[in-house]
Amino acid sequence: MSNIEQGAARNDARAVRLAPTLDRLKATVWIDGEEVSILMKQEIKEYFSADEWGNAYLLTTDRPKRSTALPYHVFKVELEDLDNGDRGEGLYYMEKEKYVN
């Protein structure tokens, strides 16, 4: 489709840690303004090239208890490094699917 070919990562790839380790990360997630429970945090390697990677996370959350009439869901993720207090947040707007019964 795009003519992009992904090469295999090298075994001696260099780590560039941009986020704290799993045990030093505090994560909080809101969906449509409601804080939801984080069911699982998984640290993964995100490769920048065949010889360089950084750490990233996959978060699995519970669903919110209430719904909104908005045509989209708003996801807010707040992260904090427990060692040095660095904080960051991200917002994601996801269009709701229209299902037919």
Side-chain angles (χ1 to χ4, degrees):
M1 291 185 160
S2 64
N3 295 328
I4 296 175
E5 217 174 286
Q6 180 175 348
R10 295 179 18 191
N11 290 336
D12 63 345
R14 181 174 68 98
V16 180
R17 292 196 170 269
L18 301 175
T21 58
L22 187 64
D23 62 328
R24 304 308 302 155
L25 173 75
K26 177 184 175 190
T28 311
V29 178
W30 292 266
I31 301 175
D32 297 333
E34 179 182 331
E35 186 173 346
V36 294
S37 299
I38 296 176
L39 305 174
M40 182 177 68
K41 286 190 292 189
Q42 182 180 3
E43 187 173 10
I44 61 170
K45 290 181 179 178
E46 180 180 10
Y47 281 87
F48 309 128
S49 65
D51 60 354
E52 188 174 62
W53 62 272
N55 58 334
Y57 291 96
L58 296 176
L59 301 175
T60 303
T61 68
D62 203 356
R63 295 178 60 115
K65 306 280 186 269
R66 56 184 165 78
S67 61
T68 67
L70 295 173
Y72 51 84
H73 295 288
V74 180
F75 292 79
K76 178 182 175 185
V77 179
E78 188 176 277
L79 304 174
E80 181 179 354
D81 185 326
L82 296 175
D83 286 332
N84 62 25
D86 283 351
R87 296 177 66 157
E89 72 176 33
L91 291 172
Y92 177 73
Y93 295 84
M94 183 179 80
E95 185 176 2
K96 289 181 180 176
E97 297 288 332
K98 300 201 184 333
Y99 295 103
V100 178
N101 292 338

